[in-house]
Amino acid sequence: MAPIEPDLYNANFRPISLFSGYIVLASSLTYLITRRVLYRAYTSIPPSQATRHRQHDRQRHVRIFAGLTVLSLGVACYQLFSLLSLSYKVWAHERGEALPIGLWGRGGLFGGDEGQGLALGRWFHDTDLLRETWEIAIEKSRRFWWTQQLWLGAAAWSVFLGIEGQRRNIPYLWAFMTLALTVSLSFTQNLFFLALLWTPLPLSDDTASPPLLKKVRIAPKTPSVRKVTKVVHNAAAKTEGLIIRTRNQLSSYATYHLPSKPSDWTPYPIVHILLLLPTVILIFLLPFASSTPSFPTIIILTHFALVPPLYPHLLPTAFGSTHSSSLSTHHSYLPLFRFVALTVFLLHLKQTSIALLDNEPGSHYHRHSLMFFYQDEERSKLERTASAASRVLAAMNDHPSVSKVAWDVILCGASCILWAAVRGLDAEAMLENVGWMGGNAVSLLKAMPEATASGAKGKNKESFKIPQITRKTLSNSRDDSSEEEAFAPDGGVGKAHGRDGASDMSTEIGGEEDVAEDWEAGALAWGLTAVGGLGIGSVGVMGGEVGGR
């Protein structure tokens, strides 16, 4: 066999093609979600959900999470560029390759004959980007403290994606999963939050979807332009027809081999837990697998943490049950969220302890003084712990690989905190989903207002009563509505007092459009995230959204 010419490795065609394909994939998924999910949900809002106060609140919340979406995308792109740039610079330094000096002129990237080009082909051939990126983010305990939070937060979000996507009949959940792997978790999570804001009611299956290719009428002036336009239109029509036929064939195949299940069908909690357990084990093994031949395999298998949205389509009907009411459906997920909370907290506690111990300074340090060149001083345990914690938090600046992960964690946490605040999530529902650590806290929250009210005057006692509701509603803050109208006797949220009135269906699925902002819920979400990391914060917020109806 003839040897491969070295010039083939010097060509930049392969890395540029793969990077262009990556951009095309991410852009296509974003367009698919924006066009087929967000736009469809926006145009499908019923009149009963389009009252004045609902529209005002929805628009304000959409602006918040749209801003977070753009911010997450910008940070992800910047960190990715920094990562690839640093990787190439390290490779060039190790092999004595010259680097471009600026963009134009002598030695510049686009300097023509006098410029300095990039050897992307050899860099891509010599570098394993997947392994290099994740090994750097895992090889030290303070770095893995950030990376583990991202994986645990992704596991909690994937469960939430499957539950809410099935309940609201949101299509293309696989696109959200793939986009989270392609771009960033925070970017995709905020896109899904936008989809939830625009789907107060489940999307109907017969809602007309916009065409993939928009038809534009063009009035050509010459026969040649008319001929070219006809060819382009025919090719576009054939492409769209091929896409539709392929989609119908895949849908028919899936319907035959994977029969559809009712929207109130859920897997048994033990089934969901057993399927999530391998992911938890793989996340636990990540730091031990670093610098071993099995590391790339474990990294790839860990990505199955985002598979739960496909369970209703892949699992047999015998692996789950159909519920008679939405309340029983929501309560069936409580053991699952508690299992996720327990495993997430134990893993976070383990990694926090290891990171603090590994980065704890010595018990003594040398301090300069006027009398002696140095003087021996003893650090207190609190000072040593604070110093170790600062080193762990500062690890996000060690390398762009760690920065990308850390900023993703921070933005995901900020999104969850804001979601809890703008949705007015109930504290009891949030703590109930991490109930193994929140049972006493729930009792304390109930007892504090009663104790405060007992020392107040009689006319002020009513203001300290806690209505038996799942979340705060707008009705209790409006002057023209009473408490009896705002809340149902059984603890459910009553109908809205909008211009057109709320439908019974909105009450059935939780009446989430009747909620009011509650920044105390945001503070609780912040506390859960600070104590238990992104995983616990996500479980509390997303579990509160699912079960707090």
Side-chain angles (χ1 to χ4, degrees):
M1 182 177 178
I4 300 176
E5 295 293 335
D7 290 340
L8 294 178
Y9 292 138
N10 296 332
N12 296 337
F13 176 75
R14 186 184 179 190
I16 292 178
S17 299
L18 291 176
F19 185 70
S20 301
Y22 169 82
I23 295 178
V24 170
L25 175 61
S27 303
S28 301
L29 291 172
T30 305
Y31 175 80
L32 177 66
I33 293 174
T34 305
R35 181 71 172 169
R36 287 303 186 91
V37 179
L38 299 184
Y39 178 78
R40 176 186 173 186
Y42 172 74
T43 57
S44 302
I45 298 177
S48 61
Q49 301 294 323
T51 57
R52 183 177 302 173
H53 72 271
R54 289 176 178 174
Q55 286 281 50
H56 176 266
D57 291 345
R58 187 184 294 115
Q59 290 175 0
R60 186 156 51 88
H61 299 161
V62 164
R63 285 195 293 267
I64 292 174
F65 288 98
L68 286 173
T69 302
V70 175
L71 177 63
S72 301
L73 179 61
V75 170
C77 293
Y78 172 77
Q79 296 296 340
L80 178 61
F81 176 79
S82 301
L83 171 62
L84 297 178
S85 177
L86 181 60
S87 176
Y88 181 83
K89 289 178 181 179
V90 171
W91 173 86
H93 177 74
E94 292 176 349
R95 288 159 178 77
E97 294 284 340
L99 294 173
I101 304 175
L103 296 177
W104 314 102
R106 182 185 298 272
L109 182 61
F110 303 105
D113 296 336
E114 298 180 349
Q116 176 64 47
L118 297 176
L120 297 179
R122 288 191 290 126
W123 162 70
F124 190 78
H125 176 267
D126 298 340
T127 306
D128 188 350
L129 288 176
L130 176 66
R131 180 166 192 148
E132 177 184 283
T133 301
W134 286 111
E135 278 193 341
I136 291 175
I138 290 174
E139 62 184 1
K140 294 184 179 181
S141 59
R142 65 174 182 266
R143 298 177 181 178
F144 187 62
W145 185 82
W146 290 101
T147 307
Q148 180 180 260
Q149 288 191 67
L150 181 63
W151 285 112
L152 296 178
W157 175 77
S158 66
V159 174
F160 177 72
L161 174 67
I163 295 173
E164 288 298 314
Q166 181 186 13
R167 188 182 73 89
R168 299 172 188 256
N169 198 25
I170 297 177
Y172 301 104
L173 295 182
W174 59 267
F176 287 95
M177 298 162 46
T178 311
L179 190 62
L181 298 174
T182 306
V183 181
S184 69
L185 178 63
S186 57
F187 174 66
T188 314
Q189 178 176 283
N190 286 307
L191 279 178
F192 189 67
F193 283 156
L194 289 175
L196 296 185
L197 290 174
W198 276 324
T199 52
L201 301 178
L203 293 176
S204 58
D205 295 328
D206 57 350
T207 302
S209 298
L212 290 175
L213 302 175
K214 186 177 180 180
K215 297 181 180 180
V216 181
R217 295 182 60 87
I218 300 177
K221 297 181 179 180
T222 62
S224 59
V225 175
R226 187 183 298 110
K227 185 177 180 179
V228 173
T229 304
K230 184 178 180 180
V231 172
V232 172
H233 281 184
N234 291 337
K238 291 181 179 179
T239 303
E240 184 174 8
L242 178 62
I243 293 174
I244 293 175
R245 287 194 300 271
T246 304
R247 183 181 60 187
N248 293 337
Q249 291 176 359
L250 293 176
S251 178
S252 301
Y253 179 84
T255 303
Y256 179 78
H257 293 278
L258 301 171
S260 59
K261 305 173 184 65
S263 59
D264 53 357
W265 182 91
T266 60
Y268 292 122
I270 186 63
V271 174
H272 225 141
I273 290 174
L274 290 177
L275 292 173
L276 280 175
L277 195 58
T279 300
V280 176
I281 296 175
L282 289 173
I283 295 174
F284 176 80
L285 293 176
L286 276 177
F288 303 101
S290 180
S291 302
T292 63
S294 60
F295 181 74
T297 304
I298 293 180
I299 281 292
I300 294 174
L301 292 178
T302 309
H303 286 75
F304 282 92
L306 297 174
V307 171
L310 301 180
Y311 289 165
H313 304 283
L314 300 178
L315 294 178
T317 307
F319 281 32
S321 61
T322 303
H323 301 272
S324 58
S325 65
S326 59
L327 184 62
S328 62
T329 303
H330 302 152
H331 286 176
S332 66
Y333 289 111
L334 186 59
L336 173 62
F337 279 109
R338 286 185 173 178
F339 167 79
V340 175
L342 176 62
T343 54
V344 162
F345 183 76
L346 291 179
L347 288 176
H348 184 71
L349 181 63
K350 182 267 299 182
Q351 189 58 35
T352 302
S353 303
I354 294 176
L356 291 178
L357 291 175
D358 289 347
N359 293 275
E360 189 178 37
S363 59
H364 292 77
Y365 72 101
H366 300 301
R367 181 178 65 84
H368 291 280
S369 66
L370 296 177
M371 301 296 298
F372 303 97
F373 181 70
Y374 63 85
Q375 182 177 357
D376 191 43
E377 295 286 343
E378 183 177 0
R379 288 188 177 96
S380 65
K381 189 66 177 178
L382 180 60
E383 291 176 341
R384 295 167 63 188
T385 304
S387 178
S390 64
R391 292 181 181 179
V392 172
L393 295 176
M396 64 181 299
N397 299 319
D398 287 357
H399 192 273
S401 297
V402 190
S403 299
K404 186 176 184 299
V405 171
W407 277 108
D408 209 6
V409 171
I410 293 173
L411 291 173
C412 284
S415 301
C416 288
I417 293 171
L418 288 174
W419 184 260
V422 302
R423 300 287 287 180
L425 298 184
D426 180 55
E428 182 175 351
M430 294 172 62
L431 292 173
E432 186 180 13
N433 285 276
V434 290
W436 57 274
M437 62 176 291
N440 295 332
V442 173
S443 301
L444 182 61
L445 287 175
K446 289 183 177 180
M448 286 177 60
E450 296 177 359
T452 307
S454 63
K457 296 182 179 180
K459 65 177 182 179
N460 295 329
K461 289 182 179 180
E462 293 298 323
S463 62
F464 293 96
K465 289 185 179 180
I466 302 179
Q468 298 299 316
I469 58 172
T470 55
R471 58 176 62 180
K472 188 175 291 185
T473 66
L474 283 173
S475 301
N476 63 351
S477 61
R478 296 175 65 87
D479 296 333
D480 58 346
S481 59
S482 62
E483 185 176 353
E484 291 78 6
E485 294 172 333
F487 306 109
D490 59 350
V493 181
K495 295 183 179 180
H497 298 276
R499 211 168 34 191
D500 302 323
S503 63
D504 294 337
M505 192 174 185
S506 66
T507 305
E508 173 64 23
I509 68 169
E512 66 273 3
E513 287 304 305
D514 295 332
V515 298
E517 295 181 1
D518 184 6
W519 291 99
E520 293 181 359
L524 176 60
W526 177 85
L528 291 175
T529 305
V531 172
L534 177 62
I536 286 293
S538 299
V539 171
V541 172
M542 298 173 185
E545 174 68 30
V546 172
R549 303 188 189 93

